[in-house]
Each structure stands twice: as structure tokens, then as C-alpha cells.
Amino acid sequence: MSKVVKFGGSSLADANQFKKVAEIIRADEERCYIVPSAPGKRFKDDTKVTDLLYQCHERVSAGEDFAKAFKPVRERYDEIIKELGLKLSLEDEYVKIGAAFRDGANSDYAASRGEYLNGIVLANYLGYEFVDAAKGIFFDSKGEFDGDITNACLGAILEKKPRAVIPGFYGAMPDGSIKTFSRGGSDFTGSVVAKAAGAKLYENWTDVSGFLVADPRIVDKPAGIEVITYSELRELSYMGAGVLHEDAIFPVRSANIPINIKNTNAPSDPGTLIVPSADDMSAKYLITGIAGKKEFSAISIEKDRMNSENGFMRRLLQVLENHGIFPEHMPTGIDTVSVVVNSHDLDGQREKLTQRIRDVVRPDHFEIIDGLALIAVVGRGMKSKKGTATRVFAALSHADINIRMIDQGSSELNIIVGIDEKDFENAIRVIYDMFILSEE
Ligand code: ASP
């Protein structure tokens, strides 16, 4: 059985990174299908090829000469080809891209050329076949990714090719034009390819050794997460834990294929394994991860006998829906409810919303409280063990942090607390200390 291996932009930023990538691929002959991003940053202030291409598209649209605007892009590829000593010229491809630009190709086409050209270079370097993603990854006429057609077509293509490079980030619309996924979308392509190939594993190679229990900008050298379930990852990603594109888990999750996040610059690190279920794997710590976000607001409503007023919640939620506001959490009391929402969703419509809520639900008291931060403490381990909530609350109370909201998901996979934004960093640190440092 095969493995699908996706390499991010920093893993393929220059010839030296290409060499590391080739070594990784050759070290395991099951690594049959390779999904590259476009070359990323080589150093801190460098520009990713994808961004160079967006800039190039803007400049050509504004009337600048293609050859001049495209120069920074071609220099990146020509340098990689030269330093790898390849007998490959992308000249014909550059000509085709220039012609498409002059014909008014859109910015999705422009951006997709980063992965397309990188795929050609990588395939040539590895001696693998190149499969243009536009031949096997499809969108429907509304521009939504079409999973069924993609799976059938791409599956049929890959069946005939034991080894191939398939560029990330884009596919084709029904009329043959190119469309990209959202930024970072090569992760999604990797997942789609893994499903279509019936792979046993989807390896996602990047520049960090997997997920960390907490944000390293807040906690000093946090422990790594060795194993995490798809559900836990969803909870943590929603709260801002990065590394993988948000949609990337869905294709592989539906096919029960695990993902292994690995580090191209430290290939022997185990990284993080993302699995459908981890019931039989013992977790190192009681919790798997801590993540959080600032800039939430609580719409707080009090009304006597609210609980016996039929349709109260429905009317309230309808008002929010009509204003395009999504309730993140909704802790309730007998005569109170607060709806926690993203503060930015209220921008420009606070007064109208307030008036509408007053008219429709006639509250005794109504208030919007800003400056709320939410922290999610996530872990499959808390389901079978008592005392997780106690420890979260004890940690916060010892640090003199006031808890303004508590929510435990019905899956018992997470505990979410709402606190003042000013306490955010400290709260994450004390929860980390309570669960990770004290267990080490
Ligand atoms: N190159 C694209 C980007 O920078 C897609 C990707 O890297 O996944 O967003």
C-alpha cells in the first residue's frame, strides 16, 4: 500500500530543501504519491512564490510587461533547476503562462502556476511522473470542490501510475479553467490524493515537528502532541491551533486514513499522528492540547420566566441569524442566557441588533460584554477520568483569574472557559503547568 507525501513551501524553498525532500522520499519506497506546494520563504523577509505570482498578475493586469513582472518567479525556478544540476528547461512553460496572462487569465490561474511548475521540477528530479492536478481534481459549476468526481477520476489516473507528483492547491472548473483552494490549500490536495489513492498514510511534511500542546509564543518550549484524534484536532484548530489547513482532515477522515505531521528539517522526529480513534492508545497526559482566541463578546440577556416562554430561544437566534451572527457558545440559566459571538461579527450593526433584540424578545436586561477570551482545554482522556474541570478551575483560581463562562461539549472532549482578555496568556500558562508540568 502507498503513502501520500505532501511537502509545504518551506520544505521546497530552494535546491538544498529539494535535496532533503528527495532523501526523505527515497528512504521509504511506499512514498509513491508526492504533493508539493510552491517554493516558500528561504529566509524571514523572503517572499513566497505564490505571493510573487499574485503580484505578477496584478502588475500585468495594470499594464506592465509580462516578462518583467514574471522575472522574480522564473529566477526562483531557474536557480533551483541549476543548483540541482537538472537537464530541464521550463522555457516552454513560461511562454504558455505569458500567453495565458495576455489572454486575461484570472488570479487563481496565476497563483496555481507556483505548484504546477514546482511539480514539474520535483517530478524531473525524482524521476517520477507528473500529473497535472487540473486533470484529476474538480470543482462544480458553483465553484465547490467536487469530491465524488475527483475521487473517481483521480483514483483511475493513479491506478495506472505507481509513482507520481501531483501539484497542490488547485483543480479545474467544469469549463476547464483553473481554480485554487484557499491559501494553504495544498494540505487539502494531499488529503484528496490520499483518499483517491487508497493510501495507508498521509504524511504532511512541514517545518515544525507536529502540533504542540500549547502555543510556543505563550508557553516556553511546550511539549509536543504525539497522537491526536480527528475530533480533538477539530476542537483545537477551531480555537486557532495552526499547522494544517482547516479542511484538510475531511477527505482522509472519511476514508479512515491517518495523517502524520512531520518535519523536513528533522525527519527522525516522530511528529504528530492524527488518527480516527485513539481508544486503544494510552495518552501521555490527561489533556491533549490547550488553545484559545481573543475578541469574543457575550450578548447577555435577562428576562423573568424566560424558561417558560415558548419559542424564546428560537426568536433570539433568528435575530442573530438575520444579522449574519453565528453563536459560538450559549450558556443558559433559568432567567438568563448569554450568547458568545465573535466581536467582529458585531461591527457596524450593534445599534440595529440591540434594537431588534429589544423589540423581538423584550428582555428585562440586555448588555453586550466585550473583551472576552475563550480557552479550550481538549483531551479524549477526560472522558473516562474525573477531576479535569476541577483542575482547570483550581489553576485559574490560584492565579486569581475570574471565570466568566464555562462550557463543556457533550462529547466530553473539551472544557471551554471564558475569561477577560487581559488574563488570556496567563490562563494558558497556568493550565499548561497544571496538566503537563505536574505530570512530567
Ligand atoms: N502555495 C499556496 C499558498 O501559499 C498553497 C499552499 O502552500 O498550500 O497558500
Side-chain angles (χ1 to χ4, degrees):
M1 262 177 127
S2 62
K3 292 179 184 167
V4 168
V5 209
K6 181 256 168 181
F7 290 92
S10 57
S11 300
L12 292 163
D14 58 22
N16 198 31
Q17 291 298 93
F18 264 71
K19 288 180 188 161
K20 289 186 196 168
V21 162
E23 204 169 304
I24 289 166
I25 294 168
R26 290 188 186 120
D28 180 348
E29 61 169 39
E30 290 184 322
R31 293 180 174 137
C32 297
Y33 300 112
I34 319 299
V35 176
S37 279
K41 292 185 182 195
R42 293 159 294 183
F43 42 86
K44 195 168 157 279
D45 293 323
D46 197 14
T47 309
K48 291 175 167 196
V49 164
T50 307
D51 292 310
L52 291 177
L53 283 159
Y54 281 122
Q55 288 164 13
C56 171
H57 184 259
E58 261 178 43
R59 287 165 61 181
V60 173
S61 306
E64 201 175 310
D65 172 51
F66 171 78
K68 193 165 162 226
F70 191 68
K71 195 164 167 259
V73 176
R74 66 174 292 160
E75 277 175 359
R76 292 287 301 264
Y77 290 104
D78 290 348
E79 185 178 299
I80 292 171
I81 291 171
K82 187 166 154 244
E83 284 183 17
L84 291 178
L86 300 179
K87 280 195 211 65
L88 170 74
S89 163
L90 292 177
E91 213 50 55
D92 290 351
E93 297 294 342
Y94 299 152
V95 170
K96 275 190 235 163
I97 296 171
F101 268 58
R102 278 179 218 104
D103 272 358
N106 62 19
S107 62
D108 276 24
Y109 169 82
S112 74
R113 296 306 86 184
E115 271 70 11
Y116 173 82
L117 294 173
N118 220 25
I120 294 177
V121 177
L122 185 61
N124 183 284
Y125 185 44
L126 293 171
Y128 277 32
E129 220 172 309
F130 172 75
V131 173
D132 184 356
K135 301 273 184 303
I137 294 185
F138 300 107
F139 294 87
D140 64 20
S141 54
K142 291 196 202 86
E144 301 288 337
F145 168 65
D146 194 330
D148 292 339
I149 294 187
T150 296
N151 206 46
C153 293
L154 192 59
I157 294 174
L158 299 181
E159 224 172 46
K160 292 191 219 95
K161 301 193 192 303
R163 293 180 186 275
V165 174
I166 307 105
F169 195 36
Y170 70 93
M173 289 290 287
D175 67 0
S177 62
I178 298 292
K179 183 172 165 58
T180 59
F181 298 114
S182 57
R183 293 299 303 264
S186 298
D187 284 344
F188 185 71
T189 306
S191 183
V192 167
V193 173
K195 182 173 175 178
K200 69 173 190 193
L201 181 68
Y202 169 25
E203 288 182 343
N204 187 296
W205 291 79
T206 175
D207 53 5
V208 291
S209 295
F211 286 92
L212 299 170
V213 173
D215 187 338
R217 289 166 299 185
I218 299 175
V219 172
D220 187 32
K221 297 199 183 66
I225 300 178
E226 285 172 19
V227 177
I228 186 169
T229 65
Y230 286 126
S231 313
E232 290 175 305
L233 182 62
R234 285 283 297 149
E235 302 281 350
L236 288 175
S237 318
Y238 190 66
M239 278 296 189
V243 182
L244 199 65
H245 187 282
E246 244 216 299
D247 296 334
I249 65 165
F250 295 112
V252 279
R253 182 184 192 164
S254 69
N256 262 328
I257 301 168
I259 307 176
N260 197 180
I261 308 281
K262 298 273 289 177
N263 189 347
T264 302
N265 305 319
S268 54
D269 283 1
T272 298
L273 190 64
I274 311 166
V275 292
S277 141
D279 291 346
D280 49 351
M281 295 188 200
S282 65
K284 192 160 169 202
Y285 307 109
L286 182 57
I287 63 163
T288 305
I290 311 160
K293 272 203 246 180
K294 292 181 180 177
E295 300 182 348
F296 288 99
S297 301
I299 300 174
S300 163
I301 290 169
E302 282 177 38
K303 186 174 189 186
D304 276 348
R305 283 189 285 279
M306 169 196 287
N307 64 329
S308 55
E309 194 182 311
N310 215 353
F312 180 90
M313 291 298 180
R314 180 181 48 75
R315 284 198 298 280
L316 174 62
L317 291 177
Q318 188 66 57
V319 174
L320 295 177
E321 187 181 330
N322 294 346
H323 286 76
I325 296 169
F326 178 77
E328 303 271 346
H329 296 280
M330 235 174 77
T332 54
I334 299 293
D335 292 328
T336 61
V337 55
S338 22
V339 189
V340 179
V341 302
N342 188 319
S343 304
H344 293 291
D345 287 353
L346 301 174
D347 288 349
Q349 52 178 355
R350 280 176 186 251
E351 269 174 39
K352 247 173 57 196
L353 178 74
T354 304
Q355 195 50 52
R356 198 70 197 128
I357 290 179
R358 285 196 204 284
D359 292 347
V360 174
V361 301
R362 307 202 164 278
D364 297 333
H365 178 78
F366 171 85
E367 190 184 0
I368 297 179
I369 303 159
D370 293 315
L372 206 60
L374 296 182
I375 295 180
V377 182
V378 176
R380 58 191 181 276
M382 67 177 74
K383 202 166 187 167
S384 48
K385 296 219 176 65
K386 297 181 194 92
T388 317
T390 315
R391 288 169 73 184
V392 173
F393 303 149
L396 295 175
S397 127
H398 276 137
D400 204 20
I401 295 171
N402 183 30
I403 303 176
R404 301 181 48 181
M405 188 210 86
I406 302 165
D407 196 354
Q408 175 168 38
S410 51
S411 57
E412 281 184 63
L413 201 63
N414 63 0
I415 294 170
I416 293 176
V417 290
I419 52 168
D420 263 1
E421 278 180 351
K422 68 168 174 31
D423 294 324
F424 180 70
E425 285 80 8
N426 198 21
I428 290 192
R429 270 181 227 119
V430 295
I431 295 171
Y432 181 88
D433 289 354
M434 174 61 98
F435 285 94
I436 307 298
L437 282 193
S438 65
E439 284 181 36
E440 267 177 353

